[in-house]
Amino acid sequence: MRIACLVKPVPDPEYYNRISIDPVRGILTRAGIPVVMNPTDRHALEEAIRIKEKMGGEVVIFSMAPDDAGGILKDGLAMGADEAYLLSDRAFAGADTLATSYTLAKAIEQFGPFDIILAGNESADGSTSQVPPQVGVWLSMPSLAGIIRMEYGESFRVWCDVEEGRVEYEVTPPVVFAVKRGINTPRYIGIKGIMAAKSKKVSIIRVGDISVDLDRIGLNGSPTRAGRIVVPDIGRKGETITGSPGEIAEGIIEGLRKAGVIKEGMI
Amino acid sequence: MDNKNVWIFAEQRNDKIMNVAYEILGAARRLADKRNCEVYAALLGDHVEHLAEGLIQHGADKVCVVEDPLLRVFTTDAYTDAVEAIIKNFKPEIFLYGATTIGRDLAPRVASRVHTGLTADCTGLDIDEDGLLLQIRPAFGGNLMATIKCPEKRPQMATVRPGVMEKLPEDASRSGDVIRFNVELDENNIRTKILQIVKEAKRTVNLEEAKIIVSGGRGLKTPEGFKLIKELADALGGVVGASRAAVDSGWISSDHQVGQTGKTVKPELYIACGISGAIQHLAGMSGSRTIVAINMDPNAPIFKVADYGIVGDLYKVIPMIIDEIKNAKDASSVL
């Protein structure tokens, strides 16, 4: 089983309250916010490694990011992936999900074939969930999203989270899987993994290394354009209720009555 | 550009139109009126034509019905083929989908097939002075709102977050046309086989539709704390929510999580207990009508969005609130 795992470096979600707009230049400021592996992608990688452990094969990481993302891919290699490709080139910059998925798919095709493509269901920063299914289209593979459980063998049984419950699918590779965080608990990266990763390779892929249509990559290949960005004001002028627990309880019920939330007979 | 009209994907499950389809129909109507064009609803399924009437009554001018036994339940492959065929034939200017699990699966695949842009999980839509669709969506956990456009490619496509757009009141006097559209589907092209669909009763407690939510976070300190949260929720006739921290700690299932991707709640009353208020959580619940926060830390960000802030020990305060509610109930039952 050859498994490609998509990994996205993202600004650490713990710090998103610190991201703001530079009032002069009107651009995002994210100074001092560390970049981490997208949390959901860690679960995808864990599942990829588990499939490899059960069925044999290899796990190859694909990531489109600047050169300095190599450290995050090394983390993935320390977890147990075998190899990583970092797609890094100015020509890839400014890509929306369509151009990103196209570029990733072309690289996967170049270094493939792969039986399975695993990805996190969504990134913490953009949260579109669009790249995995779109990679599937470029590679003519089916895709399943919102996966919370998998069983593997000759064919795969996959449980997807939907609004009213779960849908159970059966699918035979090649296929794209987008997993949710609940699917597993990613392994701890130990010293052994870190040592093993030293001899594993992160290959940097430039635009000339893959066969792409230049009109489909980067900003040129992106139909969407981001315009105005604002920080919504969600703050309220709150009232603090103090006193003994009993007084607080009375105060809060009183307040809720005043606000019209609790009406006579409602509770 | 000869693309014209505003289309929506009229998602149906089990022969019932999803509420979000009516909501985006309301949005489509507003956009179409600004563009002086018509609203089309794409209705896919097996024997679903009778649902067209409801779509017309909620704002559609035309309903394009594609019926096939292979469309009875959703599979990405069959639905993608059908919507792609519709787009290539009818050339819409705008195409909206509800940001449900189905919409978020289908729309990206369609966008890749027809090589157009797609904006995920929009919370606002408008038309700009050039006639382009403005697509407003949260990013970075909801800390930012970005406006996205798709200037060149058509259709301009977006998935729209459920519960955000206003549906039009049902109008039985509205009339419209039903267009039957045939798409050749091949069973062999459906590569994912559905083995079963398991409905879960707990999902009937729907956070998105709840009027009162009492949520617990890491400040509960133990999983048992959710018993107290449940007790308060029960006393108020509400449901239990949770922060990601509580879910990640394994204290409660992720079905209760508020503020995860696409999960926005706006109940009449939201009580946050022991939740410090990560931006993702705040973005998910700040649309609630009245917000109460109980937390030990007076500097917790949750207090910034609260109407009523209680700095104190939730294990002391909540039992008193429960008592107070019970007293109020007894009093009203006497009356």
Side-chain angles (χ1 to χ4, degrees):
Chain A
M1 236 356 111
R2 284 197 88 212
I3 304 159
C5 189
L6 308 182
V7 168
K8 183 182 187 185
V10 297
D12 190 335
E14 296 295 319
Y15 298 91
Y16 286 178
N17 56 342
R18 282 209 221 151
I19 293 177
S20 58
I21 314 288
D22 181 320
V24 181
R25 293 181 298 164
I27 57 165
L28 282 184
T29 58
R30 49 168 97 164
I33 299 179
V35 172
V36 298
M37 186 189 296
N38 179 46
T40 319
D41 298 352
R42 197 174 282 278
H43 296 259
L45 196 48
E46 172 65 32
E47 202 63 25
I49 296 164
R50 289 185 190 186
I51 296 171
K52 178 183 92 167
E53 285 168 349
K54 170 139 192 248
M55 307 187 67
E58 59 176 339
V59 174
V60 182
I61 294 171
F62 285 85
S63 185
M64 193 167 101
D67 284 7
D68 57 15
I72 286 166
L73 304 194
K74 273 281 179 192
D75 277 357
L77 297 175
M79 266 179 81
D82 298 284
E83 201 183 346
Y85 290 101
L86 175 58
L87 284 57
S88 172
D89 196 299
R90 289 181 76 90
F92 300 146
D96 67 5
T97 66
L98 191 73
T100 301
S101 61
Y102 171 81
T103 313
L104 286 166
K106 284 292 164 186
I108 289 168
E109 205 168 64
Q110 182 109 4
F111 302 104
F114 288 92
D115 303 292
I116 289 168
I117 296 166
L118 259 159
N121 202 54
E122 75 280 309
S123 60
D125 52 356
S127 305
T128 71
S129 301
Q130 288 173 189
V131 167
Q134 294 193 312
V135 165
V137 171
W138 297 117
L139 296 172
S140 301
M141 289 186 192
S143 56
L144 289 169
I147 297 171
I148 43 146
R149 189 181 153 205
M150 280 168 78
E151 277 177 9
Y152 4 102
E154 217 159 277
S155 68
F156 280 63
R157 282 174 79 193
V158 168
W159 285 258
C160 297
D161 212 3
V162 296
E163 285 82 356
E164 61 268 31
R166 316 262 188 258
V167 182
E168 186 185 342
Y169 291 95
E170 183 176 42
V171 64
T172 310
V175 57
V176 178
F177 292 133
V179 304
K180 292 182 84 163
R181 287 166 60 119
I183 192 169
N184 58 37
T185 306
R187 67 195 60 196
Y188 172 75
I189 298 175
I191 191 80
K192 234 174 104 187
I194 294 168
M195 295 309 289
K198 284 191 197 293
S199 61
K200 295 176 184 173
K201 208 167 144 207
V202 177
S203 309
I204 299 208
I205 302 302
R206 307 293 184 200
V207 66
D209 298 327
I210 50 176
S211 156
V212 288
D213 178 345
L214 294 178
D215 291 332
R216 291 214 182 284
I217 62 167
L219 196 60
N220 275 344
S222 299
T224 59
R225 290 285 180 274
R228 213 166 75 96
I229 300 173
V230 295
V231 178
D233 182 15
I234 55 173
R236 298 184 187 197
K237 265 212 181 76
E239 184 184 317
T240 307
I241 299 175
T242 52
S244 70
E247 286 160 354
I248 288 173
E250 267 176 48
I252 200 73
I253 297 297
E254 165 87 25
L256 295 180
R257 279 227 170 83
K258 256 195 284 174
V261 178
I262 295 182
K263 298 177 193 78
E264 290 302 332
M266 180 173 169
I267 56 168
Chain B
M1 229 171 297
D2 57 356
N3 290 61
K4 206 167 179 280
N5 299 317
V6 181
W7 282 66
I8 66 130
F9 173 62
E11 185 182 334
Q12 58 84 20
R13 297 187 192 181
N14 296 316
D15 217 25
K16 195 170 168 287
I17 299 285
M18 298 286 280
N19 203 33
V20 67
Y22 292 130
E23 292 168 8
I24 56 176
L25 206 44
R29 185 73 263 163
R30 200 164 42 79
L31 298 171
D33 290 346
K34 286 194 181 179
R35 293 291 294 146
N36 278 320
C37 66
E38 290 188 302
V39 173
Y40 280 66
L43 176 60
L44 282 60
D46 189 23
H47 299 105
V48 287
E49 194 177 320
H50 65 280
L51 298 172
E53 194 55 38
L55 294 166
I56 291 166
Q57 290 174 357
H58 281 93
D61 297 306
K62 305 261 165 50
V63 180
C64 174
V65 180
V66 185
E67 292 185 327
D68 193 302
L70 296 176
L71 297 172
R72 192 179 60 80
V73 288
F74 174 81
T75 57
T76 316
D77 284 331
Y79 271 61
T80 302
D81 284 349
V83 176
E84 181 189 10
I86 288 172
I87 288 174
K88 289 191 166 153
N89 187 73
F90 292 93
K91 300 187 171 52
E93 184 182 38
I94 292 171
F95 207 123
L96 309 176
Y97 309 74
T100 59
T101 50
I102 287 177
R104 289 175 65 109
D105 188 13
L106 170 66
R109 290 196 71 107
V110 171
S112 298
R113 287 274 191 89
V114 301
H115 296 173
T116 193
L118 174 66
T119 304
D121 215 20
C122 292
T123 54
L125 295 169
D126 206 347
I127 301 288
D128 76 358
E129 61 276 14
D130 302 319
L132 290 174
L133 180 65
L134 294 175
Q135 304 157 81
I136 300 154
R137 73 176 305 263
F140 293 102
N143 189 40
L144 298 178
M145 298 302 287
T147 303
I148 314 285
K149 292 187 204 181
C150 181
E152 309 282 339
K153 302 281 190 174
R154 293 294 175 272
Q156 304 162 83
M157 301 215 301
T159 61
V160 181
R161 186 174 287 195
V164 175
M165 300 293 163
E166 198 96 5
K167 64 177 167 184
L168 296 172
E170 194 176 275
D171 179 357
S173 69
R174 272 192 59 91
S175 62
D177 299 325
V178 173
I179 304 164
R180 304 193 116 265
F181 184 65
N182 189 43
V183 180
E184 289 299 326
L185 297 171
D186 182 349
E187 192 170 4
N188 296 318
N189 292 343
I190 302 174
R191 296 162 291 182
T192 54
K193 305 286 173 219
I194 295 176
L195 299 180
Q196 60 172 334
I197 299 174
V198 183
K199 293 208 174 139
E200 288 171 9
K202 65 181 174 192
R203 298 300 175 90
T204 56
V205 183
N206 189 336
L207 282 173
E208 280 101 328
E209 283 166 24
K211 292 266 181 277
I212 294 177
I213 298 174
V214 184
S215 282
R218 192 144 35 199
L220 295 178
K221 298 196 186 78
T222 71
E224 285 71 39
F226 272 100
K227 283 185 193 149
L228 187 60
I229 298 299
K230 176 88 169 52
E231 214 180 306
L232 177 56
D234 286 346
L236 286 163
V239 301
V240 174
S243 71
R244 164 171 247 158
V247 171
D248 283 354
S249 302
W251 297 350
I252 190 159
S253 83
S254 64
D255 300 323
H256 293 269
Q257 189 178 318
V258 172
Q260 71 200 72
T261 309
K263 205 169 213 174
T264 313
V265 299
K266 39 180 187 180
E268 294 287 304
L269 172 62
Y270 191 94
I271 306 183
C273 310
I275 293 175
S276 63
I279 185 66
Q280 292 85 348
H281 192 84
L282 300 185
M285 48 65 84
S286 61
S288 306
R289 187 169 151 209
T290 300
I291 297 171
V292 177
I294 309 173
N295 204 295
M296 288 290 263
D297 175 9
N299 297 317
I302 191 79
F303 287 122
K304 284 191 206 132
V305 303
D307 298 292
Y308 298 102
I310 299 167
V311 180
D313 182 352
L314 62 94
Y315 285 102
K316 291 199 176 111
V317 174
I318 293 177
M320 298 303 283
I321 297 176
I322 294 170
D323 279 352
E324 197 67 27
I325 294 165
K326 284 183 179 157
N327 289 341
K329 270 187 188 167
D330 291 346
S332 66
S333 68
V334 171
L335 297 170

